[in-house]
Short mmCIF file of all heavy atoms in Angstrom, two decimals:
data_model
loop_
_atom_site.label_atom_id
_atom_site.label_comp_id
_atom_site.label_asym_id
_atom_site.label_seq_id
_atom_site.Cartn_x
_atom_site.Cartn_y
_atom_site.Cartn_z
N THR A 62 0.66 2.14 -0.91
CA THR A 62 1.46 3.34 -1.01
C THR A 62 0.72 4.48 -0.32
O THR A 62 -0.42 4.76 -0.59
CB THR A 62 1.72 3.70 -2.49
OG1 THR A 62 2.38 2.61 -3.09
CG2 THR A 62 2.56 4.94 -2.62
N ALA A 63 1.42 5.16 0.57
CA ALA A 63 0.83 6.28 1.28
C ALA A 63 0.79 7.49 0.36
O ALA A 63 1.61 7.64 -0.53
CB ALA A 63 1.64 6.59 2.53
N ASP A 64 -0.14 8.36 0.63
CA ASP A 64 -0.22 9.62 -0.07
C ASP A 64 0.97 10.44 0.34
O ASP A 64 1.26 10.57 1.55
CB ASP A 64 -1.52 10.33 0.27
CG ASP A 64 -1.64 11.68 -0.40
OD1 ASP A 64 -1.74 11.68 -1.64
OD2 ASP A 64 -1.60 12.69 0.29
N PRO A 65 1.70 11.03 -0.61
CA PRO A 65 2.89 11.81 -0.26
C PRO A 65 2.61 12.92 0.73
O PRO A 65 3.49 13.32 1.49
CB PRO A 65 3.36 12.38 -1.59
CG PRO A 65 2.83 11.44 -2.61
CD PRO A 65 1.53 10.92 -2.05
N GLY A 66 1.39 13.40 0.80
CA GLY A 66 1.05 14.44 1.75
C GLY A 66 0.90 13.93 3.17
O GLY A 66 0.95 14.70 4.13
N ASP A 67 0.68 12.64 3.33
CA ASP A 67 0.47 12.09 4.67
C ASP A 67 1.74 11.94 5.49
O ASP A 67 1.76 12.22 6.66
CB ASP A 67 -0.16 10.68 4.57
CG ASP A 67 -1.61 10.73 4.04
OD1 ASP A 67 -2.21 11.82 4.07
OD2 ASP A 67 -2.08 9.69 3.61
N THR A 68 2.81 11.47 4.86
CA THR A 68 4.07 11.29 5.55
C THR A 68 5.20 11.72 4.63
O THR A 68 5.14 11.52 3.42
CB THR A 68 4.32 9.81 5.94
OG1 THR A 68 4.13 9.01 4.80
CG2 THR A 68 3.35 9.38 7.03
N PRO A 69 6.24 12.31 5.19
CA PRO A 69 7.35 12.74 4.32
C PRO A 69 8.11 11.52 3.79
O PRO A 69 8.22 10.52 4.49
CB PRO A 69 8.23 13.57 5.25
CG PRO A 69 7.88 13.08 6.62
CD PRO A 69 6.45 12.64 6.57
N HIS A 70 8.59 11.63 2.60
CA HIS A 70 9.40 10.54 2.06
C HIS A 70 10.76 10.57 2.75
O HIS A 70 11.29 11.61 3.09
CB HIS A 70 9.51 10.65 0.54
CG HIS A 70 8.27 10.16 -0.13
ND1 HIS A 70 8.10 8.85 -0.48
CD2 HIS A 70 7.14 10.81 -0.42
CE1 HIS A 70 6.90 8.71 -1.00
NE2 HIS A 70 6.29 9.88 -0.97
N VAL A 71 11.31 9.40 2.94
CA VAL A 71 12.52 9.27 3.74
C VAL A 71 13.68 8.72 2.94
O VAL A 71 14.65 8.24 3.52
CB VAL A 71 12.25 8.38 4.98
CG1 VAL A 71 11.25 9.02 5.91
CG2 VAL A 71 11.77 7.00 4.56
N ARG A 72 13.62 8.80 1.63
CA ARG A 72 14.70 8.23 0.81
C ARG A 72 16.08 8.73 1.20
O ARG A 72 17.04 7.97 1.16
CB ARG A 72 14.44 8.53 -0.68
CG ARG A 72 13.34 7.71 -1.24
CD ARG A 72 13.13 8.06 -2.72
NE ARG A 72 11.91 7.48 -3.18
CZ ARG A 72 11.85 6.47 -4.05
NH1 ARG A 72 12.94 5.95 -4.54
NH2 ARG A 72 10.69 5.98 -4.41
N GLN A 73 16.18 9.99 1.56
CA GLN A 73 17.50 10.53 1.92
C GLN A 73 18.05 9.90 3.20
O GLN A 73 19.23 9.99 3.47
CB GLN A 73 17.45 12.06 2.03
CG GLN A 73 16.63 12.57 3.17
CD GLN A 73 15.16 12.74 2.87
OE1 GLN A 73 14.63 12.18 1.90
NE2 GLN A 73 14.47 13.50 3.70
N LEU A 74 17.21 9.22 3.97
CA LEU A 74 17.66 8.58 5.20
C LEU A 74 17.87 7.08 5.07
O LEU A 74 18.36 6.44 6.00
CB LEU A 74 16.60 8.81 6.31
CG LEU A 74 16.34 10.25 6.70
CD1 LEU A 74 15.21 10.32 7.72
CD2 LEU A 74 17.59 10.92 7.26
N LEU A 75 17.53 6.51 3.91
CA LEU A 75 17.56 5.05 3.78
C LEU A 75 18.95 4.46 3.93
O LEU A 75 19.12 3.41 4.54
CB LEU A 75 16.92 4.62 2.45
CG LEU A 75 15.41 4.82 2.37
CD1 LEU A 75 14.92 4.39 0.98
CD2 LEU A 75 14.70 4.05 3.45
N GLY A 76 19.97 5.10 3.37
CA GLY A 76 21.33 4.59 3.49
C GLY A 76 21.77 4.49 4.96
O GLY A 76 22.28 3.48 5.40
N ALA A 77 21.51 5.57 5.70
CA ALA A 77 21.86 5.57 7.11
C ALA A 77 21.00 4.58 7.88
O ALA A 77 21.48 3.94 8.81
CB ALA A 77 21.67 6.99 7.68
N TYR A 78 19.75 4.40 7.47
CA TYR A 78 18.86 3.43 8.12
C TYR A 78 19.40 2.01 7.94
O TYR A 78 19.46 1.24 8.90
CB TYR A 78 17.45 3.57 7.56
CG TYR A 78 16.45 2.63 8.17
CD1 TYR A 78 15.93 2.87 9.43
CD2 TYR A 78 15.97 1.53 7.45
CE1 TYR A 78 14.98 2.01 9.98
CE2 TYR A 78 15.04 0.68 8.00
CZ TYR A 78 14.54 0.93 9.26
OH TYR A 78 13.61 0.08 9.81
N VAL A 79 19.81 1.69 6.72
CA VAL A 79 20.37 0.35 6.44
C VAL A 79 21.60 0.09 7.27
O VAL A 79 21.83 -1.01 7.76
CB VAL A 79 20.66 0.20 4.92
CG1 VAL A 79 21.57 -0.99 4.63
CG2 VAL A 79 19.36 0.10 4.14
N LEU A 80 22.42 1.13 7.47
CA LEU A 80 23.66 0.98 8.22
C LEU A 80 23.46 1.16 9.73
O LEU A 80 24.41 1.17 10.49
CB LEU A 80 24.69 2.00 7.72
CG LEU A 80 25.12 1.82 6.27
CD1 LEU A 80 26.03 2.97 5.84
CD2 LEU A 80 25.80 0.48 6.07
N ASP A 81 22.19 1.30 10.16
CA ASP A 81 21.85 1.49 11.57
C ASP A 81 22.58 2.71 12.15
O ASP A 81 23.10 2.67 13.25
CB ASP A 81 22.15 0.22 12.36
CG ASP A 81 21.45 0.20 13.71
OD1 ASP A 81 20.40 0.84 13.84
OD2 ASP A 81 21.99 -0.44 14.63
N ALA A 82 22.58 3.79 11.37
CA ALA A 82 23.32 4.98 11.77
C ALA A 82 22.40 6.16 12.10
O ALA A 82 22.86 7.30 12.14
CB ALA A 82 24.30 5.38 10.66
N LEU A 83 21.12 5.90 12.30
CA LEU A 83 20.18 6.96 12.64
C LEU A 83 19.92 7.00 14.13
O LEU A 83 20.05 5.99 14.83
CB LEU A 83 18.84 6.74 11.93
CG LEU A 83 18.87 6.83 10.41
CD1 LEU A 83 17.46 6.51 9.87
CD2 LEU A 83 19.30 8.20 9.94
N GLU A 84 19.52 8.15 14.62
CA GLU A 84 19.04 8.27 15.99
C GLU A 84 17.75 7.45 16.11
O GLU A 84 17.07 7.21 15.11
CB GLU A 84 18.78 9.74 16.34
CG GLU A 84 20.01 10.63 16.29
CD GLU A 84 21.00 10.30 17.40
OE1 GLU A 84 20.55 9.89 18.51
OE2 GLU A 84 22.19 10.46 17.17
N ALA A 85 17.40 7.07 17.31
CA ALA A 85 16.24 6.21 17.51
C ALA A 85 14.94 6.82 16.96
O ALA A 85 14.13 6.10 16.35
CB ALA A 85 16.06 5.91 19.01
#
Side-chain angles (χ1 to χ4, degrees):
T62 302
D64 179 67
D67 292 343
T68 52
H70 282 271
V71 295
R72 287 180 192 250
Q73 67 274 17
L74 299 175
L75 290 178
Y78 181 75
V79 165
L80 297 174
D81 197 27
L83 295 177
E84 297 291 328

